[in-house]
Every structure is written in structure tokens, then in C-alpha cells.
Amino acid sequence: MPSSLPNKPDTPESDFRFRCIACGHLSDSAGQDFRCGQCGDLLEIVYPHWQTAKPDAPALKTAWHNRKVSSCPADLSGVWRFRELLPGLEDDREIITLREGNTPLYELPRCARITGVTRLFAKHQGMNPTGSFKDTGMTVAATFARRAGFRWVACASTGNTSASMAAYAARGGLHSLVLVPEGKISWSKLSQALDYGALTCQLRTDFDGCLRLLQELVRNAPVYQLNSINPFRLEGQKTLVFELLEQLDWQPPDHLIVPGGNLGNSSAIGKALLEMRELGLISHLPKLSVIQAEGANALVRTLREAAGKSLISVPAETRATAIRIGNPASWKKASNVLQATSGACEQVSEAEIAQAKAEIGAEGIGCEPASAVTLAGLKKLLQQGFVKPQETVVLVLTGNLLKDPDYTIDFHSGELFEQKNKAADAAMNALRHPPVVLDATLEAIIQTLELAEKP
Ligand code: F0G
């Protein structure tokens, strides 16, 4: 097995390099921990040929549009359709794809009314093949894992990464190893990893503990790490922005709001925005804002208390288990893109998350709790005047409603919070729709219908 990754093919046409986000050191290959050989910070992928032969923006838009009617597997993928802005492959048949991306952009008229903004959209990444945004990154990173000759891929996860990795590994004929915190991921996500054949280890620690161990593991065993420290993941996740802007006819919204956990996704979205502006695909940048749960607010504290200079880790606790992360790996990348796009970083309470999730559900769309922080955060950003009512806002919904059914059922049956907050309860009661148990008679059903009609 290779001890360092030949991530970059040894051909003159290779079109990308790894660059350290701290010292700027450039390299053609990366170690198994995807850290800079000089200073140990994270790496990002860059495309040096853009300096000399800048891709032509109108030609790109036309090519991407035309691929929508193609039946070739690379074009059917909502990620590889944008392949000019991704690490290049010599042969499209190397791609491991489940037709990821191609996710809908929905208007949210009811949530717009509730919050007071005129135009509110949701880019629903939960509509990906395994139900979360992770698939857009995984198709790229799993493809490069197989290309580099690895048999095993591995990740630490709060659930969605493991579900996605296990699926792409299975499709690509790779073995997968999953490290998850015992008892702290939803059954739905765990069941996916099991079904796709991953070797699944439930560790008696939290996500941060799992990630620490994974980092040690990849230095000691020939496994390829597929966490978002892996910069190929972030390249794939950029495509959500390309697709979004295409859906908006290349008119940037005023605000993009995204949940923050390990902070890979916000970093990828920010990178995409900056690259699109550099290439002339958009004329100006939307403000990118990151929302965290109050109980897992490392970036919020890092920006407020340390001016973004050094990470303040926190012991993470939230029922939005996807973002139950206290020591986010990509905090520096995220803080850089927030600064570059003049975005904000906010935190929201458990009650605010629950209410926002039910409000999104009432639109007939639904999402998992971690995604709902975006709507809860928007309310705060409006109150603060950071978002103006007449501005256009896009919320990035990262996971499908079906990812965490326990949370939804607990909410509707009034059992979500151990210590009930009466004020929040009153506001939320109108959103609750607990199941009704009835005798199996027509009369009972008609009575219940009549009751439901009463104000
Ligand atoms: N939303 C969902 C549904 C997630 O699963 C995650 C992260 C995030 C938001 C936060 O994204 O980490 O890029 O800031 N889930 C990871 C996992 C950590 O293991 O599935 P991030």
C-alpha cells in the first residue's frame, strides 16, 4: 500500500496542486493526514493553470447547461457536470457516482412570511442519494481514493459522512471503516452504514474523539481518510453553489446561510463563491453566514472571543447530533471565507432549532435538525439588521427529514426536551401534530376531523 498518496497523477496534464492554507506551501502530493509537510496546517486544492488559461465564464455556462440533456454518467452527476472546476481525471469511467447533486431549489413562502423576508429559498442538499450534502463531496474523494490505489477508506462521523462514504465505497468496490460516537448518532444514519456494508465501530467517545483517532489511524495504517479534512471532499461540495447560481440565473442572492459543524461545508461554499467571482461567473459575492447550535458553538466563540486567531474548543452538546462537534477541523478555512464574503456567525438555542425545523416541515419540505439552524439563524440575523427584509436569502438544508425520525417524533409528541420551557412550548404547540390513537370506526374518524376543523 502507498505510504503517501499519489493523489495527483504523474502526467503533464495534471491540473491541480495542494496548497497549505497557512504558509502557502505548494505540493503535488499530500500525506495521508492531508496536512502541510512544512507547518502542519490544512491543505486546499488549487488550479495553477487558471492563472495562464482562465476558463471562459460564458463557455462554461453553456457547456454546463448543454450537459443537462446528456445521458453520459459524468453529465448525469450534478457534481461532475461542473468538472472544469474540479480536479481533472483522464478518463470519466474512473468516476464513482450515484447521480449526486441535481438538488432542488425551493421557495419557502410560509417561512418568508414568518421571518419577514420577501424572497426566501432552500437549496435542499438532503435530496442527494444518501440524504445529505456529503454525497457531493464523496463522489470526488472516493474517486480519488480508488485512483490512488487504496482498498480501505475511513471516516469519523456524526452519521451522514459515514452513510455517504459507505455507499460510495460500496459502489466503487472499496472497503469502508466507520468510527462513530456510541449512542450519539441517529439510527437512521447508522442503518445506512450497516446496509452499505461498512465495518462500523461505535466508539465510547464523541465525534471529536473519533476524529482524533482517525487522524492517528491514517498515519499508521493504509487507509484513506474521507473526512472533510480531505480537500477532494470540499472540491465536490463546491458544486452546490455552481448549481444554485445556475438555478438563480447567475444572479447571486444577498445571503447564503449554512449550518456549521466541522466547518468543511461552509469552507467549500466560500471557496466556490470566491472562485466563481475570480472566473467572472458572478459579478459580486453573497454574504455567507454560518449558524451553530448554542451547545456546539466553537466558531462563534472563536470569532467573538479570539477574533478568529485561535480555536476555542467547546464540549459539544445538542440534539442536532449532526453538528455535535466541539473542535471543528476546518475552523480556519471557514473563518477566512466568512471574512472574505463579509458574512456573520450566529448561534441558536435548542428550542429555536426545534421550532424552525417544524416551520420548514410545515412547508412540505422538511429537513433534519442540523439544517434547521439556518432558519433559526436567519431570524436572529434579521433582528440584528444584518439581513434586511427586502434581501434575497438562500438557506442550505443539509440533510433529509428522514435522517432523524426520533427527533421529529419526540418534537410532535412534546417529549423533545427533558426540562420543558413553558414559553417556548406555547409558541411551538401550534406546530405540533402528534398522532391520534382511535377506535377503528368511521364515527371516530369523522369526530376527529371535526375537531381538527375547530380553531
Ligand atoms: N448538516 C448536516 C446534516 C451534517 O451532517 C453536518 C455534518 C453538518 C450540517 C455540518 O457540516 O461539518 O461541514 O460543518 N456532518 C458530519 C458527519 C460531521 O460526520 O456527518 P460541516
Side-chain angles (χ1 to χ4, degrees), residues 131-134 155-162 189 207 227-228 233-234 237 258-266 321-323 325 368 370-371 397-400 403:
S132 84
F133 72 97
K134 307 287 180 179
C155 72
S157 182
T158 55
N160 280 326
T161 301
S162 53
K189 298 173 190 178
F207 169 82
N227 275 94
S228 56
R233 281 266 315 273
L234 302 198
Q237 286 172 213
V258 64
N262 212 21
L263 299 172
N265 204 30
S266 28
T321 52
I323 50 172
I325 294 171
E368 70 167 286
S371 308
L397 302 184
T398 44
N400 196 287
K403 284 286 194 172

PDB file of all heavy atoms in Angstrom, residues 131-134 155-162 189 207 227-228 233-234 237 258-266 321-323 325 368 370-371 397-400 403, ligand 1:
ATOM      1  N   GLY A 131     -29.183  11.145   1.164  1.00  0.00           N
ATOM      2  CA  GLY A 131     -29.972  12.029   2.015  1.00  0.00           C
ATOM      3  C   GLY A 131     -29.222  13.173   2.656  1.00  0.00           C
ATOM      4  O   GLY A 131     -29.761  13.838   3.545  1.00  0.00           O
ATOM      5  N   SER A 132     -27.978  13.422   2.226  1.00  0.00           N
ATOM      6  CA  SER A 132     -27.286  14.600   2.767  1.00  0.00           C
ATOM      7  C   SER A 132     -26.303  15.166   1.738  1.00  0.00           C
ATOM      8  O   SER A 132     -25.982  14.512   0.738  1.00  0.00           O
ATOM      9  CB  SER A 132     -26.527  14.281   4.055  1.00  0.00           C
ATOM     10  OG  SER A 132     -25.255  13.729   3.755  1.00  0.00           O
ATOM     11  N   PHE A 133     -25.823  16.377   2.035  1.00  0.00           N
ATOM     12  CA  PHE A 133     -24.865  17.061   1.153  1.00  0.00           C
ATOM     13  C   PHE A 133     -23.554  16.315   1.002  1.00  0.00           C
ATOM     14  O   PHE A 133     -22.763  16.611   0.108  1.00  0.00           O
ATOM     15  CB  PHE A 133     -24.600  18.469   1.674  1.00  0.00           C
ATOM     16  CG  PHE A 133     -23.769  18.538   2.935  1.00  0.00           C
ATOM     17  CD1 PHE A 133     -22.400  18.763   2.877  1.00  0.00           C
ATOM     18  CD2 PHE A 133     -24.348  18.383   4.177  1.00  0.00           C
ATOM     19  CE1 PHE A 133     -21.630  18.828   4.037  1.00  0.00           C
ATOM     20  CE2 PHE A 133     -23.591  18.443   5.350  1.00  0.00           C
ATOM     21  CZ  PHE A 133     -22.231  18.668   5.272  1.00  0.00           C
ATOM     22  N   LYS A 134     -23.298  15.364   1.882  1.00  0.00           N
ATOM     23  CA  LYS A 134     -21.996  14.686   1.876  1.00  0.00           C
ATOM     24  C   LYS A 134     -21.726  14.004   0.544  1.00  0.00           C
ATOM     25  O   LYS A 134     -20.578  13.830   0.153  1.00  0.00           O
ATOM     26  CB  LYS A 134     -21.925  13.648   2.987  1.00  0.00           C
ATOM     27  CG  LYS A 134     -22.256  14.165   4.365  1.00  0.00           C
ATOM     28  CD  LYS A 134     -21.165  15.041   4.928  1.00  0.00           C
ATOM     29  CE  LYS A 134     -21.556  15.524   6.318  1.00  0.00           C
ATOM     30  NZ  LYS A 134     -20.558  16.358   6.954  1.00  0.00           N
ATOM     31  N   CYS A 155     -13.703   7.046   7.886  1.00  0.00           N
ATOM     32  CA  CYS A 155     -14.090   8.379   8.361  1.00  0.00           C
ATOM     33  C   CYS A 155     -14.548   8.310   9.808  1.00  0.00           C
ATOM     34  O   CYS A 155     -14.942   7.243  10.298  1.00  0.00           O
ATOM     35  CB  CYS A 155     -15.218   8.966   7.507  1.00  0.00           C
ATOM     36  SG  CYS A 155     -16.817   8.188   7.766  1.00  0.00           S
ATOM     37  N   ALA A 156     -14.450   9.450  10.476  1.00  0.00           N
ATOM     38  CA  ALA A 156     -15.134   9.665  11.755  1.00  0.00           C
ATOM     39  C   ALA A 156     -16.396  10.425  11.380  1.00  0.00           C
ATOM     40  O   ALA A 156     -16.366  11.237  10.454  1.00  0.00           O
ATOM     41  CB  ALA A 156     -14.277  10.510  12.671  1.00  0.00           C
ATOM     42  N   SER A 157     -17.485  10.194  12.105  1.00  0.00           N
ATOM     43  CA  SER A 157     -18.717  10.832  11.628  1.00  0.00           C
ATOM     44  C   SER A 157     -19.756  11.007  12.722  1.00  0.00           C
ATOM     45  O   SER A 157     -19.818  10.232  13.674  1.00  0.00           O
ATOM     46  CB  SER A 157     -19.295   9.984  10.496  1.00  0.00           C
ATOM     47  OG  SER A 157     -20.460  10.573   9.979  1.00  0.00           O
ATOM     48  N   THR A 158     -20.593  12.036  12.525  1.00  0.00           N
ATOM     49  CA  THR A 158     -21.804  12.153  13.334  1.00  0.00           C
ATOM     50  C   THR A 158     -22.959  11.448  12.605  1.00  0.00           C
ATOM     51  O   THR A 158     -24.107  11.570  13.000  1.00  0.00           O
ATOM     52  CB  THR A 158     -22.162  13.635  13.585  1.00  0.00           C
ATOM     53  OG1 THR A 158     -22.259  14.309  12.319  1.00  0.00           O
ATOM     54  CG2 THR A 158     -21.112  14.333  14.437  1.00  0.00           C
ATOM     55  N   GLY A 159     -22.674  10.771  11.523  1.00  0.00           N
ATOM     56  CA  GLY A 159     -23.669   9.912  10.871  1.00  0.00           C
ATOM     57  C   GLY A 159     -23.778  10.062   9.367  1.00  0.00           C
ATOM     58  O   GLY A 159     -23.775   9.081   8.636  1.00  0.00           O
ATOM     59  N   ASN A 160     -23.868  11.295   8.883  1.00  0.00           N
ATOM     60  CA  ASN A 160     -24.093  11.466   7.450  1.00  0.00           C
ATOM     61  C   ASN A 160     -22.871  11.138   6.604  1.00  0.00           C
ATOM     62  O   ASN A 160     -22.986  10.536   5.535  1.00  0.00           O
ATOM     63  CB  ASN A 160     -24.550  12.903   7.157  1.00  0.00           C
ATOM     64  CG  ASN A 160     -26.023  13.078   7.462  1.00  0.00           C
ATOM     65  OD1 ASN A 160     -26.812  12.157   7.279  1.00  0.00           O
ATOM     66  ND2 ASN A 160     -26.403  14.246   7.961  1.00  0.00           N
ATOM     67  N   THR A 161     -21.697  11.549   7.073  1.00  0.00           N
ATOM     68  CA  THR A 161     -20.486  11.219   6.319  1.00  0.00           C
ATOM     69  C   THR A 161     -20.351   9.711   6.206  1.00  0.00           C
ATOM     70  O   THR A 161     -20.010   9.173   5.143  1.00  0.00           O
ATOM     71  CB  THR A 161     -19.232  11.802   7.005  1.00  0.00           C
ATOM     72  OG1 THR A 161     -19.391  13.208   7.101  1.00  0.00           O
ATOM     73  CG2 THR A 161     -17.975  11.503   6.230  1.00  0.00           C
ATOM     74  N   SER A 162     -20.624   9.005   7.314  1.00  0.00           N
ATOM     75  CA  SER A 162     -20.448   7.549   7.283  1.00  0.00           C
ATOM     76  C   SER A 162     -21.439   6.903   6.324  1.00  0.00           C
ATOM     77  O   SER A 162     -21.077   5.990   5.573  1.00  0.00           O
ATOM     78  CB  SER A 162     -20.569   6.957   8.690  1.00  0.00           C
ATOM     79  OG  SER A 162     -21.766   7.351   9.306  1.00  0.00           O
ATOM     80  N   LYS A 189     -29.127   6.975  10.261  1.00  0.00           N
ATOM     81  CA  LYS A 189     -27.804   7.104   9.618  1.00  0.00           C
ATOM     82  C   LYS A 189     -26.967   5.850   9.848  1.00  0.00           C
ATOM     83  O   LYS A 189     -26.271   5.370   8.950  1.00  0.00           O
ATOM     84  CB  LYS A 189     -27.079   8.337  10.172  1.00  0.00           C
ATOM     85  CG  LYS A 189     -27.822   9.632   9.889  1.00  0.00           C
ATOM     86  CD  LYS A 189     -27.175  10.817  10.579  1.00  0.00           C
ATOM     87  CE  LYS A 189     -28.062  12.044  10.474  1.00  0.00           C
ATOM     88  NZ  LYS A 189     -27.511  13.213  11.157  1.00  0.00           N
ATOM     89  N   PHE A 207     -17.687  12.802  18.714  1.00  0.00           N
ATOM     90  CA  PHE A 207     -17.171  12.929  17.340  1.00  0.00           C
ATOM     91  C   PHE A 207     -15.712  13.372  17.350  1.00  0.00           C
ATOM     92  O   PHE A 207     -14.885  12.856  16.586  1.00  0.00           O
ATOM     93  CB  PHE A 207     -18.005  13.936  16.539  1.00  0.00           C
ATOM     94  CG  PHE A 207     -17.374  14.311  15.226  1.00  0.00           C
ATOM     95  CD1 PHE A 207     -17.520  13.500  14.104  1.00  0.00           C
ATOM     96  CD2 PHE A 207     -16.589  15.462  15.113  1.00  0.00           C
ATOM     97  CE1 PHE A 207     -16.908  13.832  12.891  1.00  0.00           C
ATOM     98  CE2 PHE A 207     -15.976  15.805  13.916  1.00  0.00           C
ATOM     99  CZ  PHE A 207     -16.138  14.985  12.801  1.00  0.00           C
ATOM    100  N   ASN A 227     -12.830  12.175   5.677  1.00  0.00           N
ATOM    101  CA  ASN A 227     -13.430  13.329   6.370  1.00  0.00           C
ATOM    102  C   ASN A 227     -13.188  14.583   5.549  1.00  0.00           C
ATOM    103  O   ASN A 227     -12.409  14.579   4.603  1.00  0.00           O
ATOM    104  CB  ASN A 227     -12.839  13.475   7.774  1.00  0.00           C
ATOM    105  CG  ASN A 227     -13.585  12.600   8.747  1.00  0.00           C
ATOM    106  OD1 ASN A 227     -13.173  11.480   8.984  1.00  0.00           O
ATOM    107  ND2 ASN A 227     -14.698  13.091   9.266  1.00  0.00           N
ATOM    108  N   SER A 228     -13.837  15.675   5.968  1.00  0.00           N
ATOM    109  CA  SER A 228     -13.730  16.890   5.151  1.00  0.00           C
ATOM    110  C   SER A 228     -12.376  17.585   5.297  1.00  0.00           C
ATOM    111  O   SER A 228     -12.131  18.605   4.664  1.00  0.00           O
ATOM    112  CB  SER A 228     -14.884  17.845   5.448  1.00  0.00           C
ATOM    113  OG  SER A 228     -14.939  18.148   6.814  1.00  0.00           O
ATOM    114  N   ARG A 233     -12.970  16.298  -0.891  1.00  0.00           N
ATOM    115  CA  ARG A 233     -14.358  16.395  -0.448  1.00  0.00           C
ATOM    116  C   ARG A 233     -14.883  17.809  -0.718  1.00  0.00           C
ATOM    117  O   ARG A 233     -15.979  18.023  -1.234  1.00  0.00           O
ATOM    118  CB  ARG A 233     -14.453  16.107   1.057  1.00  0.00           C
ATOM    119  CG  ARG A 233     -14.407  14.648   1.456  1.00  0.00           C
ATOM    120  CD  ARG A 233     -15.818  14.069   1.592  1.00  0.00           C
ATOM    121  NE  ARG A 233     -16.740  14.920   2.301  1.00  0.00           N
ATOM    122  CZ  ARG A 233     -16.910  14.944   3.620  1.00  0.00           C
ATOM    123  NH1 ARG A 233     -16.238  14.115   4.388  1.00  0.00           N
ATOM    124  NH2 ARG A 233     -17.774  15.757   4.183  1.00  0.00           N
ATOM    125  N   LEU A 234     -14.078  18.785  -0.324  1.00  0.00           N
ATOM    126  CA  LEU A 234     -14.537  20.172  -0.427  1.00  0.00           C
ATOM    127  C   LEU A 234     -14.697  20.602  -1.882  1.00  0.00           C
ATOM    128  O   LEU A 234     -15.591  21.399  -2.205  1.00  0.00           O
ATOM    129  CB  LEU A 234     -13.590  21.118   0.313  1.00  0.00           C
ATOM    130  CG  LEU A 234     -13.382  20.833   1.803  1.00  0.00           C
ATOM    131  CD1 LEU A 234     -12.811  22.064   2.495  1.00  0.00           C
ATOM    132  CD2 LEU A 234     -14.651  20.415   2.506  1.00  0.00           C
ATOM    133  N   GLN A 237     -18.046  19.460  -2.857  1.00  0.00           N
ATOM    134  CA  GLN A 237     -19.106  20.215  -2.175  1.00  0.00           C
ATOM    135  C   GLN A 237     -19.266  21.634  -2.741  1.00  0.00           C
ATOM    136  O   GLN A 237     -20.304  22.263  -2.532  1.00  0.00           O
ATOM    137  CB  GLN A 237     -18.849  20.219  -0.663  1.00  0.00           C
ATOM    138  CG  GLN A 237     -19.172  18.855  -0.056  1.00  0.00           C
ATOM    139  CD  GLN A 237     -18.771  18.669   1.409  1.00  0.00           C
ATOM    140  OE1 GLN A 237     -18.424  17.579   1.805  1.00  0.00           O
ATOM    141  NE2 GLN A 237     -18.802  19.729   2.198  1.00  0.00           N
ATOM    142  N   VAL A 258     -25.715  28.739   6.163  1.00  0.00           N
ATOM    143  CA  VAL A 258     -25.355  27.328   6.205  1.00  0.00           C
ATOM    144  C   VAL A 258     -25.099  26.897   7.657  1.00  0.00           C
ATOM    145  O   VAL A 258     -24.609  27.696   8.460  1.00  0.00           O
ATOM    146  CB  VAL A 258     -24.103  27.116   5.295  1.00  0.00           C
ATOM    147  CG1 VAL A 258     -22.896  27.860   5.804  1.00  0.00           C
ATOM    148  CG2 VAL A 258     -23.770  25.660   5.112  1.00  0.00           C
ATOM    149  N   PRO A 259     -25.450  25.650   8.002  1.00  0.00           N
ATOM    150  CA  PRO A 259     -25.119  25.173   9.356  1.00  0.00           C
ATOM    151  C   PRO A 259     -23.617  24.922   9.486  1.00  0.00           C
ATOM    152  O   PRO A 259     -22.969  24.559   8.510  1.00  0.00           O
ATOM    153  CB  PRO A 259     -25.864  23.833   9.474  1.00  0.00           C
ATOM    154  CG  PRO A 259     -26.622  23.636   8.219  1.00  0.00           C
ATOM    155  CD  PRO A 259     -26.150  24.624   7.209  1.00  0.00           C
ATOM    156  N   GLY A 260     -23.099  25.068  10.691  1.00  0.00           N
ATOM    157  CA  GLY A 260     -21.669  24.826  10.916  1.00  0.00           C
ATOM    158  C   GLY A 260     -21.439  23.720  11.921  1.00  0.00           C
ATOM    159  O   GLY A 260     -21.964  23.757  13.035  1.00  0.00           O
ATOM    160  N   GLY A 261     -20.680  22.702  11.532  1.00  0.00           N
ATOM    161  CA  GLY A 261     -20.281  21.619  12.436  1.00  0.00           C
ATOM    162  C   GLY A 261     -18.773  21.523  12.428  1.00  0.00           C
ATOM    163  O   GLY A 261     -18.075  22.277  13.112  1.00  0.00           O
ATOM    164  N   ASN A 262     -18.249  20.628  11.575  1.00  0.00           N
ATOM    165  CA  ASN A 262     -16.794  20.513  11.436  1.00  0.00           C
ATOM    166  C   ASN A 262     -16.265  21.596  10.501  1.00  0.00           C
ATOM    167  O   ASN A 262     -15.079  21.736  10.291  1.00  0.00           O
ATOM    168  CB  ASN A 262     -16.452  19.116  10.898  1.00  0.00           C
ATOM    169  CG  ASN A 262     -15.125  18.618  11.403  1.00  0.00           C
ATOM    170  OD1 ASN A 262     -14.619  19.076  12.425  1.00  0.00           O
ATOM    171  ND2 ASN A 262     -14.531  17.691  10.683  1.00  0.00           N
ATOM    172  N   LEU A 263     -17.174  22.335   9.879  1.00  0.00           N
ATOM    173  CA  LEU A 263     -16.928  23.546   9.085  1.00  0.00           C
ATOM    174  C   LEU A 263     -16.321  23.310   7.702  1.00  0.00           C
ATOM    175  O   LEU A 263     -15.829  24.241   7.064  1.00  0.00           O
ATOM    176  CB  LEU A 263     -16.101  24.574   9.894  1.00  0.00           C
ATOM    177  CG  LEU A 263     -16.812  25.040  11.177  1.00  0.00           C
ATOM    178  CD1 LEU A 263     -15.891  25.896  12.032  1.00  0.00           C
ATOM    179  CD2 LEU A 263     -18.086  25.818  10.839  1.00  0.00           C
ATOM    180  N   GLY A 264     -16.402  22.065   7.234  1.00  0.00           N
ATOM    181  CA  GLY A 264     -15.962  21.777   5.871  1.00  0.00           C
ATOM    182  C   GLY A 264     -16.903  22.370   4.839  1.00  0.00           C
ATOM    183  O   GLY A 264     -16.460  22.941   3.843  1.00  0.00           O
ATOM    184  N   ASN A 265     -18.198  22.250   5.087  1.00  0.00           N
ATOM    185  CA  ASN A 265     -19.158  22.679   4.068  1.00  0.00           C
ATOM    186  C   ASN A 265     -19.132  24.192   3.867  1.00  0.00           C
ATOM    187  O   ASN A 265     -19.130  24.677   2.740  1.00  0.00           O
ATOM    188  CB  ASN A 265     -20.572  22.224   4.446  1.00  0.00           C
ATOM    189  CG  ASN A 265     -21.480  22.107   3.236  1.00  0.00           C
ATOM    190  OD1 ASN A 265     -21.014  21.828   2.133  1.00  0.00           O
ATOM    191  ND2 ASN A 265     -22.766  22.323   3.434  1.00  0.00           N
ATOM    192  N   SER A 266     -19.089  24.942   4.961  1.00  0.00           N
ATOM    193  CA  SER A 266     -19.036  26.404   4.802  1.00  0.00           C
ATOM    194  C   SER A 266     -17.747  26.797   4.077  1.00  0.00           C
ATOM    195  O   SER A 266     -17.752  27.701   3.235  1.00  0.00           O
ATOM    196  CB  SER A 266     -19.145  27.116   6.150  1.00  0.00           C
ATOM    197  OG  SER A 266     -18.660  26.324   7.188  1.00  0.00           O
ATOM    198  N   THR A 321     -27.692  16.243  16.382  1.00  0.00           N
ATOM    199  CA  THR A 321     -26.462  15.454  16.552  1.00  0.00           C
ATOM    200  C   THR A 321     -25.493  15.582  15.376  1.00  0.00           C
ATOM    201  O   THR A 321     -24.296  15.361  15.549  1.00  0.00           O
ATOM    202  CB  THR A 321     -26.789  13.968  16.788  1.00  0.00           C
ATOM    203  OG1 THR A 321     -27.679  13.537  15.742  1.00  0.00           O
ATOM    204  CG2 THR A 321     -27.445  13.745  18.133  1.00  0.00           C
ATOM    205  N   ALA A 322     -25.989  15.931  14.199  1.00  0.00           N
ATOM    206  CA  ALA A 322     -25.098  16.060  13.039  1.00  0.00           C
ATOM    207  C   ALA A 322     -24.027  17.118  13.286  1.00  0.00           C
ATOM    208  O   ALA A 322     -22.915  17.025  12.745  1.00  0.00           O
ATOM    209  CB  ALA A 322     -25.898  16.423  11.798  1.00  0.00           C
ATOM    210  N   ILE A 323     -24.352  18.134  14.096  1.00  0.00           N
ATOM    211  CA  ILE A 323     -23.389  19.221  14.329  1.00  0.00           C
ATOM    212  C   ILE A 323     -22.925  19.247  15.792  1.00  0.00           C
ATOM    213  O   ILE A 323     -22.535  20.281  16.320  1.00  0.00           O
ATOM    214  CB  ILE A 323     -23.962  20.598  13.892  1.00  0.00           C
ATOM    215  CG1 ILE A 323     -25.362  20.835  14.494  1.00  0.00           C
ATOM    216  CG2 ILE A 323     -24.009  20.702  12.382  1.00  0.00           C
ATOM    217  CD1 ILE A 323     -25.893  22.245  14.255  1.00  0.00           C
ATOM    218  N   ILE A 325     -20.298  18.939  17.515  1.00  0.00           N
ATOM    219  CA  ILE A 325     -18.851  18.955  17.272  1.00  0.00           C
ATOM    220  C   ILE A 325     -18.257  20.146  18.019  1.00  0.00           C
ATOM    221  O   ILE A 325     -18.741  21.271  17.881  1.00  0.00           O
ATOM    222  CB  ILE A 325     -18.576  19.081  15.747  1.00  0.00           C
ATOM    223  CG1 ILE A 325     -19.078  17.819  15.029  1.00  0.00           C
ATOM    224  CG2 ILE A 325     -17.095  19.326  15.465  1.00  0.00           C
ATOM    225  CD1 ILE A 325     -19.064  17.913  13.520  1.00  0.00           C
ATOM    226  N   GLU A 368     -33.438  17.757   8.466  1.00  0.00           N
ATOM    227  CA  GLU A 368     -33.023  17.271   9.782  1.00  0.00           C
ATOM    228  C   GLU A 368     -32.682  18.460  10.684  1.00  0.00           C
ATOM    229  O   GLU A 368     -32.487  19.583  10.194  1.00  0.00           O
ATOM    230  CB  GLU A 368     -31.910  16.241   9.665  1.00  0.00           C
ATOM    231  CG  GLU A 368     -30.561  16.719   9.230  1.00  0.00           C
ATOM    232  CD  GLU A 368     -29.498  15.637   9.486  1.00  0.00           C
ATOM    233  OE1 GLU A 368     -29.135  15.445  10.658  1.00  0.00           O
ATOM    234  OE2 GLU A 368     -29.031  15.014   8.531  1.00  0.00           O
ATOM    235  N   ALA A 370     -30.129  19.668  12.236  1.00  0.00           N
ATOM    236  CA  ALA A 370     -28.936  20.493  11.969  1.00  0.00           C
ATOM    237  C   ALA A 370     -29.205  21.495  10.854  1.00  0.00           C
ATOM    238  O   ALA A 370     -28.688  22.621  10.879  1.00  0.00           O
ATOM    239  CB  ALA A 370     -27.748  19.611  11.605  1.00  0.00           C
ATOM    240  N   SER A 371     -30.020  21.109   9.882  1.00  0.00           N
ATOM    241  CA  SER A 371     -30.303  22.013   8.760  1.00  0.00           C
ATOM    242  C   SER A 371     -31.169  23.184   9.201  1.00  0.00           C
ATOM    243  O   SER A 371     -31.093  24.279   8.640  1.00  0.00           O
ATOM    244  CB  SER A 371     -31.046  21.268   7.651  1.00  0.00           C
ATOM    245  OG  SER A 371     -30.377  20.102   7.283  1.00  0.00           O
ATOM    246  N   LEU A 397     -30.152  23.593   3.194  1.00  0.00           N
ATOM    247  CA  LEU A 397     -30.659  22.492   4.022  1.00  0.00           C
ATOM    248  C   LEU A 397     -29.777  21.281   3.719  1.00  0.00           C
ATOM    249  O   LEU A 397     -29.727  20.804   2.588  1.00  0.00           O
ATOM    250  CB  LEU A 397     -32.130  22.207   3.719  1.00  0.00           C
ATOM    251  CG  LEU A 397     -33.078  23.398   3.918  1.00  0.00           C
ATOM    252  CD1 LEU A 397     -34.527  22.972   3.675  1.00  0.00           C
ATOM    253  CD2 LEU A 397     -32.938  24.011   5.316  1.00  0.00           C
ATOM    254  N   THR A 398     -29.100  20.801   4.748  1.00  0.00           N
ATOM    255  CA  THR A 398     -28.007  19.847   4.523  1.00  0.00           C
ATOM    256  C   THR A 398     -28.430  18.390   4.602  1.00  0.00           C
ATOM    257  O   THR A 398     -27.756  17.519   4.068  1.00  0.00           O
ATOM    258  CB  THR A 398     -26.922  20.115   5.575  1.00  0.00           C
ATOM    259  OG1 THR A 398     -27.587  20.309   6.837  1.00  0.00           O
ATOM    260  CG2 THR A 398     -26.102  21.336   5.246  1.00  0.00           C
ATOM    261  N   GLY A 399     -29.551  18.117   5.303  1.00  0.00           N
ATOM    262  CA  GLY A 399     -29.931  16.715   5.492  1.00  0.00           C
ATOM    263  C   GLY A 399     -31.433  16.508   5.394  1.00  0.00           C
ATOM    264  O   GLY A 399     -32.234  17.406   5.686  1.00  0.00           O
ATOM    265  N   ASN A 400     -31.812  15.320   5.004  1.00  0.00           N
ATOM    266  CA  ASN A 400     -33.215  14.950   4.795  1.00  0.00           C
ATOM    267  C   ASN A 400     -33.955  14.763   6.117  1.00  0.00           C
ATOM    268  O   ASN A 400     -33.381  14.312   7.108  1.00  0.00           O
ATOM    269  CB  ASN A 400     -33.222  13.634   4.005  1.00  0.00           C
ATOM    270  CG  ASN A 400     -34.541  13.319   3.390  1.00  0.00           C
ATOM    271  OD1 ASN A 400     -35.471  12.957   4.089  1.00  0.00           O
ATOM    272  ND2 ASN A 400     -34.626  13.467   2.092  1.00  0.00           N
ATOM    273  N   LYS A 403     -33.639  11.508   8.101  1.00  0.00           N
ATOM    274  CA  LYS A 403     -32.359  11.176   8.729  1.00  0.00           C
ATOM    275  C   LYS A 403     -32.471  11.009  10.241  1.00  0.00           C
ATOM    276  O   LYS A 403     -31.643  10.362  10.857  1.00  0.00           O
ATOM    277  CB  LYS A 403     -31.337  12.277   8.433  1.00  0.00           C
ATOM    278  CG  LYS A 403     -30.778  12.237   7.036  1.00  0.00           C
ATOM    279  CD  LYS A 403     -29.804  11.080   6.907  1.00  0.00           C
ATOM    280  CE  LYS A 403     -28.968  11.210   5.650  1.00  0.00           C
ATOM    281  NZ  LYS A 403     -27.904  10.198   5.625  1.00  0.00           N
TER     282      LYS A 403
HETATM  283  N1  F0G B   1     -25.687  19.373   8.494  1.00  0.00           N
HETATM  284  C1  F0G B   1     -25.664  18.041   8.488  1.00  0.00           C
HETATM  285  C2  F0G B   1     -26.933  17.316   8.199  1.00  0.00           C
HETATM  286  C3  F0G B   1     -24.454  17.354   8.739  1.00  0.00           C
HETATM  287  O1  F0G B   1     -24.444  16.024   8.712  1.00  0.00           O
HETATM  288  C4  F0G B   1     -23.290  18.089   9.023  1.00  0.00           C
HETATM  289  C5  F0G B   1     -22.033  17.427   9.329  1.00  0.00           C
HETATM  290  C6  F0G B   1     -23.383  19.490   9.009  1.00  0.00           C
HETATM  291  C7  F0G B   1     -24.593  20.094   8.741  1.00  0.00           C
HETATM  292  C8  F0G B   1     -22.219  20.351   9.264  1.00  0.00           C
HETATM  293  O2  F0G B   1     -21.358  20.367   8.159  1.00  0.00           O
HETATM  294  O3  F0G B   1     -19.316  19.584   9.311  1.00  0.00           O
HETATM  295  O4  F0G B   1     -19.219  20.567   7.036  1.00  0.00           O
HETATM  296  O5  F0G B   1     -19.738  21.995   9.006  1.00  0.00           O
HETATM  297  N2  F0G B   1     -21.909  16.194   9.485  1.00  0.00           N
HETATM  298  C9  F0G B   1     -20.631  15.481   9.605  1.00  0.00           C
HETATM  299  C10 F0G B   1     -20.840  13.982   9.591  1.00  0.00           C
HETATM  300  C11 F0G B   1     -19.715  15.987  10.606  1.00  0.00           C
HETATM  301  O6  F0G B   1     -19.996  13.256  10.116  1.00  0.00           O
HETATM  302  O7  F0G B   1     -21.814  13.535   9.022  1.00  0.00           O
HETATM  303  P1  F0G B   1     -19.809  20.652   8.381  1.00  0.00           P
END
